[in-house]
Amino acid sequence: MTRHFLTLTDLTPDELGYLIQRAIELKTMLRNGQNHEPLKGKTLGMIFEKSSTRTRVSFEVAMTHFGGSSIFLSPRDTQLGRGEPIEDSARVLSRMVDAVMIRTFDHATLQTFADHSAVPVINALTDDFHPCQLLADMQTFVEHRGSIQGKKVVWVGDGNNMCASYINAANQFDFELVISCPDGFTPDNDLLGRYPERVSLEADVATAVQGAHLVVTDVWASMGQEDEQQTRLNAFEGYQVTPELMDKADPDALFMHCLPAHRGEEVSHEMMDDPRAVVWDEAENRLHAQKALLEFLLTGQH
Ligand code: CP
Ligand code: NVA
C-alpha cells in the first residue's frame, strides 16, 4: 500500500516519534561526514503552486544527500498551469518519479492527486495544513528540551495552516495546545473540537502564554491572503510575540516561527534575536526531518 503524508494523522504516533529520532540521527551522520545514499537512482517530483525558499531547498538538498535527484515543477511551465486535470498529472508523474511533493492552495487538490498517485505524495503546504514544518518543529523542541509529551504549547496569532497542523500535532505528540487568536481568526471549528482534552482557546494572549514551554507564531497574512494584509494588521494588533510576552511563559520556554517572518508584525525585531528563539535550528531541521520522511516513505525503513 502506498503511504502518503498529507497531514500528521497519516502516520501513527510511533511512526512520527521514529521520524524525529531518525532526523536527529541523520543530522549527526551528516555532521560527521558520513555518506548515506538510500535513494540512489530515485527521483522526487516537486510541484510548487506557491512560493518557497526553505521547502524547496530542503527537499532538493535532501534528495542530493541521499544520492537521488529532484525535479522542480511550476505551473508556469508545466501543463498543470494550462488545465491538465490533476488526476491525469498524478497518473503520469507517478509512472516516472518515485515520490511527489506538492505545495498548493486547496487541500482537496492534494488529496485528489494522492488518490490517483501510485507513489507517495507529501504535503509541502496547503491552505489547510503544513505537516512537514511540524516534523522540523518537533525535532527542534526535542533537541533543545527533550520530549514534548505533556508540555504546554501556545499558538499566537492566526488560526491558519500552521495552527491546524499544531492541532494535529497536539494529539499525535501528546501535548497541551492553547490557541490565542483574535475573534474571527480561530481555526476551523471541526478541527478545533476534535481533541478537546488537548486543545483549547484563550483569546487573551498574556493569559494564554502563562507557563508555556513553547510559544509559536506565524505571519498574519498567509500566501493567497495578500489582499487582506491591511485588515489583518488591524485585527491582530496586540498579538505580537515579544521578549516581554515570553517573560510570562515558563523560564525555559522556546520561541518558534516557521519563517518567513514579518518583523514588527507577528514578531518583534528583538524577539527574533532573543536567546529563546530557535528559529534558525527550526529552519535547518526541515532538511533533516524531511530526509527522515523521504527515507521512511521510499524505503519503508522505520
Ligand atoms: N517555512 C516554510 O515552509 O518556508 P518556505 O515558504 O520558504 O518554504
Ligand atoms: N502560513 C504561512 C506559512 C508559510 C510557510 C503561509 O501559508 O503562507
Side-chain angles (χ1 to χ4, degrees):
M1 194 190 72
T2 306
R3 300 285 301 270
H4 301 300
F5 185 61
L6 309 189
T7 72
L8 288 171
T9 60
D10 285 329
L11 267 56
T12 65
D14 279 354
E15 288 170 335
L16 290 168
Y18 163 79
L19 287 191
I20 303 308
Q21 288 312 319
R22 184 62 179 156
I24 294 170
E25 233 169 76
L26 289 166
K27 186 172 180 176
T28 305
M29 285 162 65
L30 185 70
R31 295 270 201 272
N32 294 341
Q34 233 171 301
N35 235 21
H36 178 58
E37 300 192 329
L39 301 186
K40 251 201 171 107
K42 306 259 190 219
T43 307
L44 174 71
M46 308 198 310
I47 299 174
F48 279 97
E49 298 194 321
K50 290 177 174 174
S51 303
S52 168
T53 298
R54 280 144 288 268
T55 305
R56 178 176 176 181
V57 174
S58 55
F59 271 112
E60 286 197 16
V61 173
M63 288 306 288
T64 305
H65 286 176
F66 274 173
S69 59
S70 51
I71 304 177
F72 176 75
L73 299 158
S74 118
R76 270 187 301 280
D77 38 41
T78 62
Q79 300 292 1
L80 280 162
R82 298 184 60 253
E84 180 165 13
I86 198 80
E87 295 88 336
D88 296 358
S89 305
R91 291 184 183 106
V92 171
L93 284 176
S94 62
R95 283 179 179 227
M96 297 182 188
V97 301
D98 301 281
V100 179
M101 176 243 81
I102 306 180
R103 171 168 284 197
T104 189
F105 293 85
D106 193 349
H107 194 79
T109 306
L110 174 78
Q111 185 67 59
T112 304
F113 192 103
D115 290 345
H116 296 85
S117 170
V119 299
V121 176
I122 297 169
N123 181 356
L125 182 147
T126 62
D127 289 347
D128 293 357
F129 297 101
H130 194 9
C132 287
Q133 183 67 52
L134 262 290
L135 295 181
D137 288 19
M138 295 299 101
Q139 180 190 345
T140 308
F141 190 90
V142 169
E143 285 176 340
H144 283 270
R145 296 285 184 267
S147 172
I148 198 161
Q149 188 174 25
K151 297 285 197 263
K152 178 178 176 181
V153 178
V154 179
W155 176 268
V156 179
D158 188 18
N160 64 11
N161 45 8
M162 276 296 301
C163 179
S165 282
Y166 263 91
I167 293 177
N168 281 337
N171 191 54
Q172 299 293 70
F173 291 91
D174 192 17
F175 58 77
E176 179 196 357
L177 177 67
V178 177
I179 298 172
S180 193
C181 306
D183 243 13
F185 296 93
T186 53
D188 171 72
N189 272 335
D190 279 353
L191 185 62
L192 198 53
R194 206 168 287 169
Y195 313 113
E197 66 293 353
R198 292 198 175 86
V199 181
S200 61
L201 283 181
E202 172 51 67
D204 184 75
V205 69
T207 307
V209 299
Q210 272 169 34
H213 301 102
L214 171 63
V215 175
V216 197
T217 192
D218 186 14
V219 289
W220 291 338
S222 284
M223 289 182 276
Q225 298 174 330
E226 289 77 8
D227 293 352
E228 299 170 34
Q229 177 72 24
Q230 196 49 50
T231 336
R232 284 173 169 267
L233 266 180
N234 302 335
F236 286 98
E237 207 193 321
Y239 283 84
Q240 185 182 79
V241 181
T242 60
E244 295 69 42
L245 183 70
M246 288 297 292
D247 289 344
K248 300 183 196 303
D250 186 88
D252 271 342
L254 296 175
F255 168 70
M256 291 190 198
H257 188 312
C258 66
L259 308 180
H262 289 187
R263 289 174 170 81
E265 294 182 21
E266 77 277 1
V267 58
S268 70
H269 288 264
E270 311 79 62
M271 192 60 232
M272 290 294 285
D273 301 317
D274 189 281
R276 290 166 288 192
V278 289
V279 296
W280 315 120
D281 289 341
E282 186 188 358
E284 178 192 332
N285 284 340
R286 293 294 303 279
L287 170 64
H288 310 298
Q290 284 154 208
K291 282 171 82 172
L293 176 68
L294 287 165
E295 184 184 55
F296 171 81
L297 291 175
L298 287 169
T299 72
Q301 182 177 323
H302 64 278

